Amino acid sequence: MLKRYLQNSVLVVDDDHITLQITSIMLKRLGFANVYTAEGGKRALELLPTTSPPVNLLITDLHMPGTDGLALLRHFDEIGFQGDIILFSGMDEQTLKMAMSLGKARSLSIIGALSKPLREGELLNTLSNHVSPAPCTFGPCFRKPPSEQVITPNMLVDGIEKGELQPWFQPKVDMVNHTITGLEVLARWPKSTLGPIFPDTFIPIAEKHGLIDELTFYLVKKTLDFKKQWQSKGLNISIAFNVSMDSCLNHKFSTLFELMVTNAGFKASDFQLEITESRLMSDIVTPLEVLLRLHMHGVKLSIDDFGTGHSNLNQLRDLPFDELKLDKSYVQTSKECERAKIILKTSIKMAEKLGMSIVAEGVETREDWQRMLEMGCHQAQGYFIAKPMPGEDIPDWIEYWQKIRPLFRGSTPYL
Ligand code: G
Ligand code: G
Ligand code: MN
C-alpha cells in the first residue's frame, strides 16, 4: 500500500508551524518514514536538494508570505520536479481548483487539492487513487521542459551520431490476466546540448527534414541490443515501435526493418509497429503496400492515437491492423464527458468486431483502470502501470511486476 510514496520522502510546506507538526504526525501514521517540513516556499526550495531519499510527494499550502504556493509550483516546474503534488489550503474551492489547473498547465503532476484542515481519510484517498504499482525509481528521470526548444536538423543528426538518443520503454499489460503484453519504444534525448529534449520536439523535425527513417532505424538497432540482453536473462517480450506513416512511403522500409530483426536472431512476429499519421497523406497506395507486406511477414500492426489527428476510419477499413490504441486524451476525458464515453464505447465495439485488441493509453489512476476495463478494453498502458523507463530498468521492473501482479486480482487492482 502506498509503496511508491513510502520509499521516498515527502515534503510539507506551510507558513504555520502547528499545521506542519500536525501534518507530519498524520503522514508518519500513514507510514511515511521520511517527512520533511518547510516553513514557507523559500525554505522548501533550499531543503529540496538536500533530502534523502529524494522527495516524491510535495504537499503545499497556497497562501504563504514570500514565496507562496503558486510561486513554488513555478519553481518546481523550472527544476523539472518529477514527483506528485497535493495542494492544501484554507482558500475557497474555486481558487483551489484554479491553482490545480495552473499546476497541470505547467505539466506538474497535481494529484489533489484538499481543503484545510487536512483530513487523514481524504489524504489517503487522494494518494491511493494515484498510487502506481511501479516504484518511482522506474519513472522518467526528466520531464518535459516548459519552453519551446529550437533544434536544427543538424543537431538531431549529431545527437544520433553521438548516440545521445535512447529508446525508453513503456510496458503494456493485459487487463484480465495482468500479464505483460509488450513494451512500447519511446524516443528520448536526455542529454542534448540544450538539456533533455522530448519527442514532440524532435520527431516533427525528423519528419520534416527526412531524418525519420534514420532515427527509427537507430532506435531499432539500440532496442535490438536491449532485447538480446533481456533474452539472455530469459525475458522474451514483444516490442512495439512508433512508426510515422511517412516511413511507409519508402518501399525499402519493410525490407530493412525485417532484415535488422532477422539478423539479430528474432522473428518478425516478436514486433509490432504503432502507426501514426502526423499529416494527411497524398499517397496512400504506397503505405498500404508497405504495411500489407509487413503484415504478411508476421509483424503486428497497431493504429496509434485513435480518436485524434489523422487516425481514421479509412485506415481501419484498408489496413490489416491487429490492435487499436485509444488516445490518452479520450481515455482521460471519458472521466467526465459522457460524449467521449459514448465515442470510446462505440470505438471499442467496432474494433472488437474487426477482431482487434484494444489498448487504453494514459491509464493514470485506479479509476481510469476500472472505467476502461468496464468499457471492454483488453490492455492498458499508462503511469498507473509504469512510466516509460530506460532499457536497463526493464528486467527489474518485470520482476517487480510479477511480485505485485496478485494485487490485481478481481476487477480492480487492490493496492
Ligand atoms: O513519450 P512522449 O509522450 O513524450 O511522446 C510524444 C510523442 O512522440 C508520442 O506521440 C509518441 O508516439 C511520439 N514518439 C515517441 N517516440 C517515437 C518514435 O520513435 N518514432 C515516432 N515516429 N514517434 C515517436
Ligand atoms: O502517441 P503515443 O501513444 O505513442 O504516445 C504515448 C506517450 O504518452 C508516451 O510517450 C508517454 O510519454 C505518454 N504517456 C504514457 N502513459 C501516460 C499516462 O498515463 N499519462 C500521460 N499524461 N501520458 C502518458
Ligand atoms: Mn505509440
Side-chain angles (χ1 to χ4, degrees):
M1 182 89 155
L2 303 184
K3 193 172 165 201
R4 177 158 79 101
Y5 294 114
L6 302 183
Q7 282 171 341
N8 291 281
S9 299
V10 50
L11 172 61
V12 191
V13 190
D14 201 295
D15 54 330
D16 177 49
H17 181 64
I18 306 287
T19 305
L20 284 179
Q21 269 188 341
I22 295 172
T23 314
S24 172
I25 291 167
M26 194 186 289
L27 287 163
K28 285 189 175 147
R29 221 172 19 228
L30 288 176
F32 286 83
N34 312 296
V35 183
Y36 288 88
T37 57
E39 248 181 87
K42 188 163 170 285
R43 177 77 193 118
L45 288 167
E46 286 164 3
L47 198 62
L48 189 68
T50 68
T51 55
S52 170
V55 169
N56 191 31
L57 176 65
L58 168 75
I59 303 180
T60 181
D61 186 16
L62 283 180
H63 197 23
M64 296 180 283
T67 307
D68 64 10
L70 301 183
L72 200 58
L73 291 183
R74 173 160 38 86
H75 288 301
F76 271 61
D77 184 17
E78 279 162 9
I79 57 174
F81 181 63
Q82 284 299 301
D84 295 327
I85 300 175
I86 295 176
L87 306 173
F88 76 132
S89 171
M91 308 289 302
D92 60 284
E93 200 180 323
Q94 188 63 17
T95 311
L96 259 173
K97 273 196 180 151
M98 286 167 105
M100 193 164 173
S101 307
L102 173 69
K104 285 187 177 171
R106 292 194 178 284
S107 48
L108 288 163
S109 169
I110 314 278
I111 63 167
L114 306 175
S115 308
K116 276 187 184 173
L118 199 57
R119 275 171 286 264
E120 199 166 309
E122 274 183 55
L123 182 62
L124 188 61
N125 256 344
T126 306
L127 290 173
S128 49
N129 187 28
H130 280 267
V131 78
S132 154
C136 99
T137 46
F138 296 117
C141 63
F142 57 88
R143 204 176 49 78
K144 253 167 227 199
S147 59
E148 270 293 290
Q149 287 156 316
V150 183
I151 65 155
T152 62
N154 279 344
M155 281 169 68
L156 185 57
V157 172
D158 208 41
I160 294 174
E161 277 170 5
K162 287 189 182 141
E164 288 174 351
L165 282 94
Q166 297 167 9
W168 277 35
F169 302 90
Q170 189 180 32
K172 240 175 359 181
V173 297
D174 186 293
M175 295 190 92
V176 178
N177 62 26
H178 315 130
T179 50
I180 302 164
T181 50
L183 299 173
E184 174 177 1
V185 178
L186 292 157
R188 292 290 183 265
W189 192 358
K191 287 189 183 134
S192 82
T193 44
L194 295 179
I197 304 182
F198 268 76
D200 23 16
T201 305
F202 62 80
I203 297 285
I205 305 242
E207 283 175 347
K208 191 169 161 203
H209 297 274
L211 297 167
I212 191 70
D213 286 357
E214 189 176 340
L215 176 59
T216 304
F217 286 122
Y218 166 90
L219 292 170
V220 170
K221 186 178 174 313
K222 291 227 158 198
T223 299
L224 291 173
D225 291 343
F226 275 119
K227 190 163 164 61
K228 278 187 213 160
Q229 287 173 30
W230 299 331
Q231 199 169 37
S232 69
K233 295 182 175 164
L235 304 170
N236 228 328
I237 186 154
S238 166
I239 304 283
F241 293 101
N242 283 290
V243 170
S244 46
M245 204 61 129
D246 283 27
S247 298
C248 307
L249 287 170
N250 175 1
H251 277 289
K252 290 199 193 110
F253 180 83
S254 48
T255 322
L256 260 172
F257 178 74
E258 288 177 43
L259 203 64
M260 282 177 85
V261 161
T262 43
N263 279 349
F266 298 114
K267 296 191 298 285
S269 56
D270 292 336
F271 297 87
Q272 193 167 22
L273 301 181
E274 296 189 7
I275 313 295
T276 40
E277 206 179 327
S278 53
R279 59 185 177 86
L280 264 179
M281 309 290 287
S282 46
D283 174 9
I284 50 160
V285 179
T286 313
L288 190 63
E289 180 184 330
V290 169
L291 291 171
L292 258 180
R293 182 168 304 112
L294 284 159
H295 168 75
M296 288 192 308
H297 296 180
V299 177
K300 309 234 170 45
L301 299 180
S302 171
I303 184 162
D304 207 359
D305 304 331
F306 191 77
T308 63
H310 302 296
S311 289
N312 63 36
L313 296 175
N314 286 353
Q315 292 179 345
L316 271 187
R317 186 194 57 200
D318 297 336
L319 287 163
F321 285 112
D322 304 277
E323 184 182 272
L324 178 139
K325 294 189 84 175
L326 296 169
D327 190 71
K328 57 178 178 289
S329 62
Y330 263 93
V331 172
Q332 290 299 321
T333 47
S334 68
K335 226 179 302 188
E336 296 113 12
C337 173
E338 202 49 39
R339 296 175 78 92
K341 220 179 204 170
I342 291 169
I343 294 170
L344 272 189
K345 275 191 193 159
T346 316
S347 305
I348 290 167
K349 270 215 183 96
M350 175 181 66
E352 210 152 43
K353 284 200 171 151
L354 294 170
M356 299 164 78
S357 175
I358 301 130
V359 186
E361 287 185 337
V363 173
E364 291 185 355
T365 64
R366 194 173 39 186
E367 283 165 9
D368 292 343
W369 174 287
Q370 183 62 23
R371 192 175 61 256
M372 298 323 292
L373 182 67
E374 280 167 11
M375 280 196 218
C377 286
H378 307 135
Q379 299 174 63
Q381 187 178 16
Y383 297 169
F384 186 64
I385 298 123
K387 290 182 175 170
M389 63 188 99
E392 290 81 4
D393 287 351
I394 288 293
D396 285 348
W397 183 82
I398 292 177
E399 195 185 323
Y400 177 76
W401 182 258
Q402 302 308 354
K403 267 193 231 144
I404 62 146
R405 251 180 77 190
L407 297 177
F408 277 70
R409 68 177 169 259
S411 56
T412 328
Y414 171 79
L415 296 167

